Amino acid sequence: MKTGFINRRHVTEPCGLDKNACTLDFRRILVLPTWHGLLFFFVIILMLIASVNYQLNLGYVMTFLLFGLMLIGILHTYRNLYGLSLRVGRLQPAYAGEPCVFPIIVSHTRALENLSFQWHHMDMVSIDVKKHEETSVAIPVLPKRRGWFRPGRIRIATIYPLGWFCAWCMIDFDCEIIVYPKPKAAGPYLPSRQTNIAQAADYQAHCGDDFHGLQAYQRGDSLRHVAWRAYAQEKGLYTKKFVTHVSQALWLDWEMLDDNDKEIRLGKLCQWVNDATEANLTFGLRLPNQIIEQGCGASHQRHCLTALALYDEPQP
Amino acid sequence: MITSNALHRHDDTRLFTTTSLAVLISLQGIVLLPVVAYLPLWIWPFVCVLALLRFMALRKSANYAGFVSNGLLVLLAIMLILYQYGLSWNRDAGLTLLIIAFSLKLYEAYKQRDVIIYLYLSYFIIMTHFLYTQNIYSFLYMVFATWATTVVLIAMHTLKQEYQFIKNVRLAATMLLQATPFMLILFFLFPRLPGPLWSLSNANLQADSGISDTMSPGVISKLAQTASVAFRVRFNDKIVASPLRYFRVYVFDYYDGKTWYKNQIVAKKPALIKKGPMVQYEVMMEPHQQKWLAALDMPPGVSKAWNLSNTHLVSARKTIDRPVRYALQAYPRYILQPELAQTDLLHYLQLPKSGDEQARRFAEDLRAEAGSDGLFITQLFQFFRQNPFIYTLTPKTIKGSDQIDTFLFSSRQGFCEHYAGAFTFLMRAAGIPARVVVGYQGGELNPLDDYLVVRQYDAHAWVEVWLQGRGWIRVDPTAAVAPARIELGMRSGLSHDPFFDRANVANLLRGEINWIKLARHLWDAFDARWNDWILGYNRIVQKEFFKKLGLAKMGWTVIALITLASCVLFLAILCFVLVVRRSRKKPARLLLDYQRFCHKLARIGLPRAGHEGPVAYANRIANTHPELALRVRRICRYYSMLRYGRRKVTKKQLERFHKIVKRFVVDNRP
């Protein structure tokens, strides 16, 4: 994306009451002619020369009509962007080096056609905005590093209806996406389990095979484990708990790896976490600065990956 | 600006749908429609074949139009052009080349960029039609064709695969209407530069001529079957009566037995003695690709811009290829050339060496019997009246020699040119100098705008006879045979004439119904104004216009600034109307209140996540805190309706929302 003089001036923090939402107005939208517009202007000049040469009054009429159409085109193209309301959608975590989706939700009181959204050099997404409806735009972005990723500038542009002018605007949303480290295949599939009786004893099993009892529903609990019958009988919302009596606990440990580069270690740990979750195993994560206790399930996976992502990262 | 190219790189598979190709081909048909009238006939088959090939190749892959086939087509086109025009480079050749390039462009178009260039070409070609005609019909056609091209251009920039025909049509019409004020401002204020900057030879000009420069039987009667306007006359004071409305165009004085020619090697300028009042009038002449200017009997003299010939004909210096306006004077009562030099006398007595012996003897006998020139003319008129002469547009064709004899004594059917020619012959045979004059006679008054319309069917031929002491006198043999034609004009008069062959001109007598007549008058009045204001708007008219507006004294820079300022003003008005007014933001107060509501919930540990919409937020709260569900849902739903709803938020609604939020209180959880 061009980051020249004009663009830089227009990078603005979204202002207003919502930090993650804004509406496009006079201060943000720029209009410039496109190459097609310049070509058409050249055609108009040719027509003017022909009219002057042959003294064609109707030729003048047509030339000036097309010129007027060009001027009107500026307005209509500008209008296609003006007043667009944007806000950030639900952000999903991503993996470093892989394209992920940055969702934006747009709406307007008019119908808009052929708006395109683009982040740096990634693919452009073009949508139509329907009147009074919220449309979700999935803009592909590419986070390079793990940690907090701020997508930064998004370019919103349109050339509708005539293609002679391009109205565009750069929006910088104040939001972050958490980016997990890129999973790297480690040598052994998973480290062998360690025997740790003490930990096994006060092991609060949340996952496993045997039904252990009911517990009050907490945010993050898988809906698959909810005791629906009890809820239907209006006894409240409870989660079924299962236990696997294991003698050994699986620990994914920083010290187990011997790579010098911490990024590689983090990558391998990430791969292990994913594999363990896929196999529905219970595991814990040990990092130099924190220990995550045994657990399993999607939320535990998220917790571990977040810890890996933010390992040794400065706070945003 | 670089990345805007990416916006143009649309999904090119769109070009492969049948609908879009059909649309592009019909656009081509619309744009090339007028070409049929004035370019060689082989263009249309060529274009159609290309379109057909393109259609058939629809199913094939992208760049099917290979280098070889393209090259062959271009070669074929060049050969056809060379065959048609040779190596001369003129307007028609240039235009043919352009049209072939245009159709080839569609043939080899497989990317969006090609189609866009094709559309720009079509705009240009629409304009080139004005090189041939510039009347109202061509203007209406231009508007329609521009509109069609704009519709397709808009469709090129929309995302949807289907052509949203009605929406694009309406948008294109709206945009063109909005562009019209700019067009008017620039049209009237843009300086008319003196052209041409270069010239292109106009070899194959469309023969829009009226009267030609020779006269033979059948020429004028052919002309009389067309109703196109020749010119319009506006009289400054009273309108001259129909029997006096003779507009002279050409004088023919050399007869070779079949055709009358112009051979005016007259010695010196004749003298004109004016008798009676002067008539002042203005003529708005339609283009006829020649140099004559119609002048009412008899113009005293003309300004330096025009020529007055020795036969008292007015002509321009350049060919009349666009509507022109001129003012003249006339003296309906005059004496022209009371003295005739000997050489001129012999010149106007010229007759072919042999032929038409019966007519010559008849003339000599009648002259001798009559005794004087005046009586001779009267006797001749009697001869025409008393014998069964017929005045018809389609007389039997007379071939061979002795055409005058055949006309006078056997066939006795003719139009004005027959009578005029025969009459002049008889005059000359009797020793009276005479000449044929061709021009227009009569015309129809348009009551709506108070001017005279003279059409091609008013073309007429009559005779001028020279009498000693009285100079050249106008004598119209048609007045003897079909006087109603002179009195009342071709349209109304001829139907009453017993000599007149009705069947022939039945098609000209249309419009007797009043409202059709009125419509015709209305349209012609509009056409006249069109000629004046739009087509006739040249440097001189622009200067007058500026004088009227008071801009004459200012220099061109000031006028340019005025143009710029008015354009900017219009643009600003339209901007306000289109952009600002329609995109009313929701009032900030609404957002503030909602924010307050969210803060209240945040205080008890239920903050709104950045991405959550109001309804989603309410649902989340309802899940975890069912006791708040009802109230929270109500507020959020109301907010959603106000924020994203169609109607404008009223003050009352704002107040209500404010109150609800204020009253919303959450007890701290135990």
Side-chain angles (χ1 to χ4, degrees):
Chain A
M1 207 143 63
K2 227 178 166 202
T3 50
F5 153 70
I6 295 176
N7 290 1
R8 232 174 241 140
R9 261 198 310 132
H10 255 254
V11 173
T12 49
E13 294 288 327
C15 57
L17 302 162
D18 276 319
K19 269 195 110 183
N20 281 337
C22 74
T23 308
L24 302 182
D25 61 5
F26 288 113
R27 283 167 301 188
R28 297 174 191 268
I29 307 180
L30 260 190
V31 179
L32 279 180
T34 58
W35 289 118
H36 283 208
L38 292 178
L39 178 65
F40 188 72
F41 189 68
F42 177 66
V43 170
I44 290 185
I45 296 289
L46 276 183
M47 288 169 70
L48 186 66
I49 291 177
S51 303
V52 168
N53 188 54
Y54 294 103
Q55 303 276 324
L56 304 172
N57 267 339
L58 282 191
Y60 280 120
V61 167
M62 182 166 179
T63 310
F64 295 142
L65 187 67
L66 289 179
F67 181 71
L69 194 64
M70 268 193 104
L71 294 181
I72 294 294
I74 302 178
L75 280 186
H76 280 262
T77 307
Y78 189 84
R79 182 180 182 232
N80 203 37
L81 210 53
Y82 184 80
L84 184 69
S85 305
L86 309 129
R87 65 185 172 89
V88 179
R90 171 169 242 146
L91 298 171
Q92 302 284 359
Y95 288 96
E98 277 174 28
C100 77
V101 159
F102 178 47
I104 291 196
I105 299 176
V106 298
S107 68
H108 202 273
T109 47
R110 283 183 279 119
L112 305 177
E113 296 248 1
N114 201 1
L115 296 176
S116 69
F117 295 78
Q118 191 184 30
W119 180 87
H120 289 105
H121 307 292
M122 300 290 286
D123 288 341
M124 191 181 285
V125 178
S126 300
I127 55 142
D128 288 339
V129 177
K130 292 204 184 57
K131 195 171 165 178
H132 295 299
E133 270 181 40
E134 286 196 323
T135 316
S136 182
V137 190
I139 305 173
V141 298
L142 185 67
K144 294 221 177 78
R145 293 194 64 251
R146 64 175 176 92
W148 286 113
F149 171 67
R150 192 186 158 131
R153 271 178 266 159
I154 303 283
R155 185 172 185 269
I156 309 170
T158 179
I159 56 169
Y160 177 87
L162 294 169
W164 297 332
F165 290 91
C166 177
W168 49 288
C169 158
M170 308 282 267
I171 292 291
D172 190 344
F173 283 109
D174 189 20
C175 59
E176 271 103 16
I177 297 177
I178 188 120
V179 179
Y180 305 142
K182 190 179 174 102
K184 285 198 181 54
Y189 173 60
L190 276 175
S192 47
R193 296 171 190 213
Q194 300 162 341
T195 316
N196 194 329
I197 300 172
Q199 284 182 318
D202 45 21
Y203 164 51
Q204 294 256 344
H206 284 265
C207 325
D209 305 316
D210 305 324
F211 178 67
H212 185 66
L214 290 176
Q215 216 179 57
Y217 178 80
Q218 284 171 5
R219 263 178 71 193
D221 287 349
S222 167
L223 285 173
R224 276 185 294 126
H225 295 309
V226 168
W228 290 112
R229 188 170 284 167
Y231 182 69
Q233 292 167 348
E234 287 178 69
K235 290 191 182 137
L237 208 57
Y238 292 103
T239 313
K240 294 184 222 172
K241 296 294 171 192
F242 299 90
V243 163
T244 302
H245 297 289
V246 290
S247 50
Q248 296 170 339
L250 175 61
W251 281 103
L252 303 175
D253 203 334
W254 176 266
E255 305 301 331
M256 284 185 218
L257 298 162
D258 53 8
D259 295 289
N260 287 329
D261 186 6
K262 70 174 178 191
E263 299 298 327
I264 300 181
R265 284 201 203 191
L266 288 170
K268 288 183 177 171
L269 283 170
C270 180
Q271 179 73 41
W272 279 348
V273 168
N274 285 344
D275 291 338
T277 311
E278 234 183 87
N280 208 10
L281 298 171
T282 312
F283 62 93
L285 183 66
R286 274 211 200 97
L287 293 172
N289 60 351
Q290 69 177 122
I291 293 177
I292 297 179
E293 296 299 329
Q294 295 281 320
C296 73
S299 57
H300 179 68
Q301 178 193 29
R302 272 202 300 276
H303 190 188
C304 294
L305 289 175
T306 310
L308 287 172
L310 297 177
Y311 175 74
D312 214 10
E313 281 288 307
Q315 282 300 307
Chain B
M1 243 166 77
I2 289 178
T3 50
S4 66
N5 282 343
L7 289 164
H8 285 284
R9 262 187 269 117
H10 260 259
D11 183 16
D12 291 324
T13 59
R14 161 209 291 268
L15 289 174
F16 289 148
T17 68
T18 319
T19 328
S20 56
L21 194 58
V23 165
L24 288 172
I25 291 180
S26 12
L27 180 69
Q28 188 171 48
I30 292 176
V31 167
L32 293 182
L33 195 62
V35 159
V36 175
Y38 41 77
L39 280 187
L41 285 175
W42 53 261
I43 286 190
W44 261 91
F46 188 82
V47 165
C48 289
V49 163
L50 277 183
L52 200 65
L53 283 176
R54 184 67 176 86
F55 213 82
M56 281 178 1
L58 190 58
R59 299 287 167 225
K60 293 193 193 157
S61 64
N63 196 3
Y64 65 90
F67 186 68
V68 173
S69 74
N70 273 0
L72 279 179
L73 282 168
V74 170
L75 208 61
L76 175 66
I78 291 179
M79 283 193 334
L80 283 170
I81 291 183
L82 283 177
Y83 165 72
Q84 180 80 31
Y85 298 107
L87 282 173
S88 70
W89 179 251
N90 61 15
R91 172 189 62 176
D92 289 355
L95 203 55
T96 311
L97 193 64
L98 190 63
I99 288 174
I100 288 183
F102 179 59
S103 46
L104 277 174
K105 189 74 201 170
L106 180 62
Y107 176 70
E108 58 163 25
Y110 62 97
K111 284 204 292 190
Q112 171 143 2
R113 185 174 43 100
D114 295 331
V115 177
I116 301 265
I117 294 183
Y118 169 81
L119 291 173
Y120 293 171
L121 266 179
S122 86
Y123 278 126
F124 194 80
I125 289 180
I126 294 171
M127 201 202 79
T128 56
H129 297 315
F130 292 142
L131 288 170
Y132 295 91
T133 50
Q134 281 195 83
N135 54 27
I136 301 185
Y137 298 110
S138 57
F139 170 71
L140 291 175
Y141 159 79
M142 179 271 278
V143 169
F144 175 68
T146 308
W147 185 6
T149 313
T150 312
V151 167
V152 180
L153 189 61
I154 293 176
M156 278 292 134
H157 291 108
T158 56
L159 272 181
K160 297 191 178 50
Q161 283 290 330
E162 334 83 57
Y163 269 57
Q164 297 164 292
F165 191 61
I166 298 196
K167 181 172 176 199
N168 290 344
V169 162
R170 270 182 40 198
L171 181 62
T174 316
M175 293 180 78
L176 284 173
L177 279 174
Q178 288 165 350
T180 310
F182 299 98
M183 183 266 283
L184 289 173
I185 294 174
L186 282 169
F187 179 78
F188 285 113
L189 296 185
F190 191 82
R192 292 289 183 272
L193 305 169
L197 306 167
W198 73 85
S199 63
L200 218 52
S201 84
N202 293 328
N204 308 345
L205 282 180
Q206 187 185 21
D208 205 355
S209 55
I211 294 176
S212 65
D213 56 356
T214 59
M215 195 194 83
S216 50
V219 162
I220 298 197
S221 46
K222 204 165 72 160
L223 204 58
Q225 307 200 30
T226 54
S228 54
V229 175
F231 55 92
R232 297 181 178 86
V233 183
R234 205 182 280 276
F235 290 98
N236 286 24
D237 303 308
K238 238 178 29 155
I239 296 174
V240 173
S242 183
L244 291 177
R245 292 205 289 258
Y246 281 86
F247 295 90
R248 300 165 86 238
V249 172
Y250 282 138
V251 166
F252 298 112
D253 49 6
Y254 183 87
Y255 186 54
D256 68 352
K258 290 201 175 61
T259 311
W260 288 89
Y261 296 95
K262 293 185 287 182
N263 192 14
Q264 293 147 26
I265 34 171
V266 200
K268 57 177 183 146
K269 226 175 193 68
L272 177 75
I273 302 173
K274 306 156 199 176
K275 289 183 163 274
M278 178 185 77
V279 173
Q280 192 103 26
Y281 61 99
E282 199 178 40
V283 176
M284 292 153 276
M285 172 84 72
E286 295 285 323
H288 50 65
Q289 319 302 348
Q290 288 166 72
K291 292 190 184 161
W292 54 262
L293 295 174
L296 196 61
D297 260 350
M298 198 60 68
V302 291
S303 66
K304 288 214 185 74
W306 305 299
N307 291 330
L308 187 69
S309 73
N310 287 343
T311 44
H312 248 79
L313 297 173
V314 183
S315 60
R317 294 188 201 281
K318 289 195 300 192
T319 320
I320 311 279
D321 57 354
R322 64 193 67 242
V324 81
R325 232 180 172 190
Y326 56 94
L328 280 180
Q329 302 159 340
Y331 284 91
R333 302 223 308 255
Y334 57 89
I335 294 182
L336 178 65
Q337 208 167 22
E339 296 297 327
L340 202 58
Q342 188 64 19
T343 43
D344 294 344
L345 201 79
L346 290 173
H347 181 81
Y348 288 115
L349 288 174
Q350 176 270 334
L351 283 175
K353 290 211 174 64
S354 61
D356 298 308
E357 297 304 322
Q358 193 185 358
R360 292 178 207 242
R361 267 182 284 116
F362 171 70
E364 286 160 4
D365 294 342
L366 196 58
R367 173 70 181 80
E369 196 187 307
S372 76
D373 288 340
L375 273 173
F376 170 62
I377 293 175
T378 320
Q379 296 276 12
L380 210 48
F381 267 55
Q382 290 281 39
F383 168 73
F384 280 120
R385 277 205 202 95
Q386 284 162 0
N387 286 299
F389 277 93
I390 291 181
Y391 189 71
T392 167
L393 276 170
T394 52
K396 265 190 304 193
T397 326
I398 302 174
K399 289 207 175 90
S401 53
D402 293 340
Q403 292 189 353
I404 306 276
D405 284 348
T406 323
F407 170 67
L408 283 174
F409 304 113
S410 62
S411 82
R412 288 184 172 168
Q413 289 178 3
F415 202 57
C416 52
E417 65 257 34
H418 298 84
Y419 289 96
F423 199 88
T424 311
F425 187 92
L426 291 173
M427 287 288 127
R428 289 184 173 187
I432 304 172
R435 60 193 184 190
V436 179
V437 182
V438 162
Y440 293 89
Q441 196 280 328
E444 188 188 358
L445 194 61
N446 187 330
L448 293 174
D449 215 359
D450 222 22
Y451 65 90
L452 198 70
V453 183
V454 178
R455 295 177 188 265
Q456 296 299 348
Y457 55 58
D458 291 318
H460 194 49
W462 63 94
V463 183
E464 272 178 357
V465 164
W466 190 84
L467 297 177
Q468 180 71 44
R470 290 172 66 186
W472 288 102
I473 296 179
R474 179 179 67 230
V475 174
D476 194 350
T478 308
V481 183
R485 185 254 177 271
I486 306 299
E487 297 281 331
L488 302 167
M490 273 291 277
R491 302 190 60 83
S492 22
L494 289 168
S495 54
H496 306 299
D497 198 292
F499 286 116
F500 190 65
D501 183 358
R502 288 202 65 169
N504 256 279
V505 282
N507 61 328
L508 288 178
L509 298 178
R510 67 186 183 281
E512 290 308 310
I513 312 168
N514 271 338
W515 66 268
I516 294 184
K517 208 170 178 184
L518 185 70
R520 210 169 26 85
H521 282 312
L522 204 65
W523 180 257
D524 196 70
F526 181 65
D527 203 15
R529 292 256 177 234
W530 175 266
N531 275 358
D532 271 356
W533 273 110
I534 306 294
L535 294 188
Y537 192 78
N538 53 17
R539 288 172 74 213
I540 302 166
V541 178
Q542 191 176 43
K543 264 202 198 134
E544 285 174 25
F545 181 61
F546 281 176
K547 262 199 212 133
K548 257 199 232 174
L549 290 182
L551 296 171
K553 298 206 187 75
M554 310 186 198
W556 276 111
T557 33
V558 179
I559 292 181
L561 282 175
I562 292 178
T563 315
L564 196 65
S566 37
C567 281
V568 169
L569 181 70
F570 262 114
L571 211 60
I573 292 174
L574 277 171
C575 183
F576 179 72
V577 165
L578 278 183
V579 179
V580 177
R581 202 169 59 95
R582 301 273 184 86
S583 312
R584 255 184 236 116
K585 287 195 242 182
K586 293 293 177 176
R589 205 174 152 195
L590 184 66
L591 297 170
L592 262 171
D593 286 332
Y594 183 63
Q595 200 74 4
R596 217 169 275 150
F597 167 71
C598 295
H599 277 319
K600 283 191 186 174
L601 284 170
R603 260 186 266 139
I604 58 163
L606 294 169
R608 185 175 78 91
H611 60 268
E612 268 185 320
V615 174
Y617 186 36
N619 286 338
R620 180 161 69 85
I621 292 178
N623 275 339
T624 53
H625 294 77
E627 67 278 12
L628 293 172
L630 199 65
R631 286 187 291 162
V632 166
R633 275 222 174 93
R634 195 163 67 99
I635 291 178
C636 285
R637 222 174 272 152
Y638 194 45
Y639 171 69
S640 185
M641 188 203 82
L642 292 179
R643 176 109 211 269
Y644 300 113
R646 286 159 201 272
R647 302 207 182 87
K648 185 185 167 189
V649 181
T650 63
K651 245 191 166 167
K652 235 175 153 180
Q653 287 171 320
L654 280 178
E655 290 290 335
R656 186 160 166 238
F657 187 69
H658 183 74
K659 270 204 203 112
I660 293 174
V661 169
K662 211 167 167 187
R663 274 194 266 125
F664 178 77
V665 168
V666 188
D667 306 319
N668 280 327
R669 292 191 70 215

